[in-house]
Amino acid sequence: MISQALTTIRQRIANTARQYNRSPESVQLLAVSKTRPITDIVTAIEHGQIRFGESYLQEAIQKIAALRDNKALEWHFIGPLQSNKTKIIAEQFDWLHSLSKLKHAQRLNKQRPEYLPPLNVCIQVNISEEAQKSGIHLNELATLAQAIAELPRLRLRGLMTLPAPSQSFEQQRIPFRQMRIALQELQASGLKLDTLSMGMTNDMEAAIAEGATLVRIGTGIFGKRLNRQKQ
Ligand SMILES: *Cc1c(COP(=O)(O)O)cnc(C)c1O
């Protein structure tokens, strides 16, 4: 049941935060609702959830349109980014987690409508340097971050990552620790960043231990993922 699962996830977040001397409020919960029907999202909203993460654009815009009247909701795009998606993302979303190219940032900056506040963005880092995964490598991060921070219609908030899966807690902590250090280095260089988007259902404790400020949880809330809808 979604309500019970939400309670359990919130308890896991709070317990882990306290264990690492962090306040439970310092870790936000993003409910990853990709592939899930609107009714599941409505149930989560009834149980106090306001932040939702989507990966498939056609599916996401239907949900955003259906729930448009609820102004409290926050929509986060977390899926792979391509040039032909930037306009819809700029017009429809509050956050984008998967930015890793200056070219995309410049398009989004032009396309973000005047009547909306700047689009919140995180730079996706390919921390495990996997060939098939999107994201920038750490050695190119500082240059990209400085350039994105100059764009007035974007608000660079921090970093996002999706590390290669590993089983042990200590192994899981390693890439998350590298992410924390990378964020601290950018902050030390003068950028005002407040977000580390990292941790999913199977590694959220390790991410929180290393400073995640937002965990992205799908199956832990909604159960096993349904088939992806065609775009
Ligand atoms: C699907 C997805 C998640 C959620 O993963 P779960 O293992 O279901 O919690 C988190 N982040 C991204 C980028 C995703 O695509």
Side-chain angles (χ1 to χ4, degrees):
M1 250 169 69
I2 291 170
S3 60
Q4 182 55 46
L6 264 173
T7 303
T8 304
I9 290 287
R10 287 179 184 136
Q11 279 166 357
R12 270 173 71 186
I13 292 172
N15 290 343
T16 310
R18 283 194 204 95
Q19 194 179 341
Y20 292 92
N21 295 315
R22 304 185 52 195
S23 77
E25 298 76 41
S26 69
V27 187
Q28 295 182 338
L29 173 57
L30 182 68
V32 176
S33 45
K34 65 184 183 205
T35 79
R36 314 302 313 202
I38 290 173
T39 49
D40 282 7
I41 299 180
V42 170
T43 304
I45 294 169
E46 285 166 1
H47 291 87
Q49 183 63 29
I50 57 164
R51 297 183 178 86
F52 292 92
E54 291 282 338
S55 299
Y56 310 118
L57 213 48
Q58 292 314 315
E59 180 192 325
I61 57 181
Q62 290 172 17
K63 293 173 180 175
I64 294 171
L67 297 167
R68 183 172 44 216
D69 291 343
N70 190 336
K71 303 291 178 208
L73 299 184
E74 242 178 46
W75 293 99
H76 296 234
F77 189 78
I78 62 173
L81 187 58
Q82 287 125 28
S83 294
N84 63 0
K85 297 183 182 173
T86 56
K87 186 159 191 288
I88 293 177
I89 291 168
E91 290 173 352
Q92 303 279 340
F93 283 82
D94 303 295
W95 281 72
L96 166 67
H97 291 236
S98 47
L99 186 56
S100 61
K101 292 198 169 85
L102 184 58
K103 168 184 85 166
H104 292 157
Q106 288 164 337
R107 286 175 66 94
L108 290 159
N109 183 60
K110 280 208 194 81
Q111 292 166 336
R112 181 68 168 173
E114 290 285 328
Y115 58 85
L116 292 175
L119 179 67
N120 297 292
V121 299
C122 291
I123 297 176
Q124 182 172 358
V125 178
N126 186 355
I127 197 74
S128 310
E129 307 206 346
E130 297 167 280
Q132 77 282 12
K133 226 169 240 176
S134 38
I136 192 166
H137 289 184
L138 275 183
N139 58 1
E140 302 166 283
L141 174 62
T143 310
L144 179 66
Q146 294 293 344
I148 291 175
E150 299 290 314
L151 300 172
R153 300 300 295 144
L154 303 186
R155 182 169 169 210
L156 180 60
R157 298 296 295 264
L159 305 177
M160 179 273 226
T161 198
L162 196 72
S166 52
Q167 293 312 316
S168 87
F169 181 74
E170 287 307 322
Q171 286 293 323
Q172 288 175 348
R173 281 184 75 160
I174 295 168
F176 294 141
R177 185 174 313 140
Q178 291 175 284
M179 292 292 292
R180 170 165 55 77
I181 292 166
L183 185 83
Q184 287 167 345
E185 286 173 358
L186 294 177
Q187 288 168 330
S189 79
L191 295 177
K192 300 233 176 326
L193 307 178
D194 59 10
T195 302
L196 267 181
S197 165
M198 58 189 197
M200 312 195 292
T201 302
N202 289 325
D203 58 10
M204 55 174 265
E205 279 85 359
I208 293 169
E210 293 296 345
T213 64
L214 179 148
V215 290
R216 308 180 309 266
I217 307 298
T219 50
I221 296 172
F222 297 109
K224 201 168 158 294
R225 211 133 34 233
L226 307 176
N227 283 334
R228 168 176 173 346
Q229 291 180 10
K230 284 258 165 2
Q231 292 263 20

